[in-house]
Amino acid sequence: DIGLQAFRIHPAALAGGAFNIDWHADYSYVDRVGKTSFLNAVELPRDPPRTYFVSQYHALETLPKETVEKLRGLRAFHSIAGYGGGVDSERLQADIERDRERGIVRPPIPEAVHSVVVRHPDTGRELLYVGPAITKHIVGLPQEEGDALLRELYAHSTRPENVYAHDWEVGDLVIFDTLGTMHKRDAWDPKERRHMRQL
């Protein structure tokens, strides 16, 4: 129930960075989020880092009803600041330059506010939409209270029994639901190369 498929294809190009990346939903820091993402392994280190996935549909559905009702009226602030090495990271600068070449203008530090409980626009199914790498705070709650709530939600979402860990091989293609899936990635030896194609 993770909205994820994995299969092998012929490899093509693009790269990442060697640092660890915590749990997040891709592009939650922009106003209009895509619905599907993929990762394609082009080249891997000798000891490939795993990528881990959890279903945010399952996370919401397994929360107590009173908690879900409390979450319905809340909104969270998402920002790229400090993510994956910070806003000055080589990867972010490359993304900004690519967007500029395509005529897409984004703020220097992309950020957005989203409901904590989101409904998928195609299926109507509800999901929990917060993640520790990009969600910065709950709008309107005192910082301490909001942080405690977020820690509780993250611990619930990422319980070991809910996590799928993908062991990469060159050519793997993993397609996942961008809205309904959180993922994270292990670090690897920066002297080695890991090239991934991503959308």
Side-chain angles (χ1 to χ4, degrees):
D1 193 25
I2 205 165
L4 181 146
Q5 299 173 357
F7 52 96
R8 318 274 186 221
I9 67 163
H10 185 71
L14 205 64
F19 42 80
N20 178 54
I21 293 181
D22 202 0
W23 291 108
H24 65 284
D26 279 350
Y27 309 112
S28 71
Y29 49 83
V30 297
D31 288 329
R32 189 172 178 183
V33 181
K35 294 179 280 189
T36 305
S37 294
F38 74 80
L39 288 169
N40 173 214
V42 178
E43 182 179 355
L44 296 169
R46 283 171 291 183
D47 185 18
R50 282 179 161 183
T51 303
Y52 306 85
F53 298 87
V54 291
S55 167
Q56 291 293 78
Y57 300 106
H58 178 75
L60 185 70
E61 290 163 359
T62 53
L63 281 169
K65 288 183 179 178
E66 58 273 18
T67 302
V68 175
E69 289 311 309
K70 176 182 176 181
L71 297 177
R72 285 191 192 284
L74 299 178
R75 293 168 63 78
F77 175 73
H78 300 246
S79 174
I80 196 74
Y83 168 78
V87 298
D88 294 322
S89 70
E90 188 176 314
R91 173 70 183 270
L92 179 58
Q93 293 307 314
D95 287 350
I96 290 170
E97 182 58 33
R98 181 198 61 211
D99 288 346
R100 187 179 296 117
E101 289 171 0
R102 293 177 178 172
I104 301 169
V105 178
R106 300 193 192 278
I109 303 176
E111 53 193 38
V113 174
H114 298 288
S115 297
V116 173
V117 175
V118 168
R119 188 177 296 276
H120 194 285
D122 292 341
T123 66
R125 191 175 177 192
E126 290 186 317
L127 59 114
L128 182 63
Y129 200 60
V130 290
I134 297 175
T135 304
K136 303 304 181 187
H137 63 266
I138 301 293
V139 176
L141 285 187
Q143 188 75 37
E144 188 173 322
E145 181 184 349
D147 289 351
L149 176 59
L150 288 171
R151 284 193 301 271
E152 177 186 336
L153 296 175
Y154 301 152
H156 174 77
S157 292
T158 61
R159 289 183 310 208
E161 65 268 26
N162 296 333
V163 176
Y164 165 72
H166 189 74
D167 291 303
W168 289 99
E169 296 179 21
V170 170
D172 282 5
L173 175 68
V174 175
I175 301 172
F176 56 98
D177 178 335
T178 311
L179 278 169
T181 306
M182 249 195 335
H183 61 286
K184 73 172 186 172
R185 182 195 73 197
D186 288 336
W188 69 93
D189 185 343
K191 296 189 293 294
E192 296 191 46
R193 290 167 56 90
R194 177 186 183 266
H195 284 188
M196 306 291 286
R197 196 164 62 97
Q198 180 180 12
L199 176 65

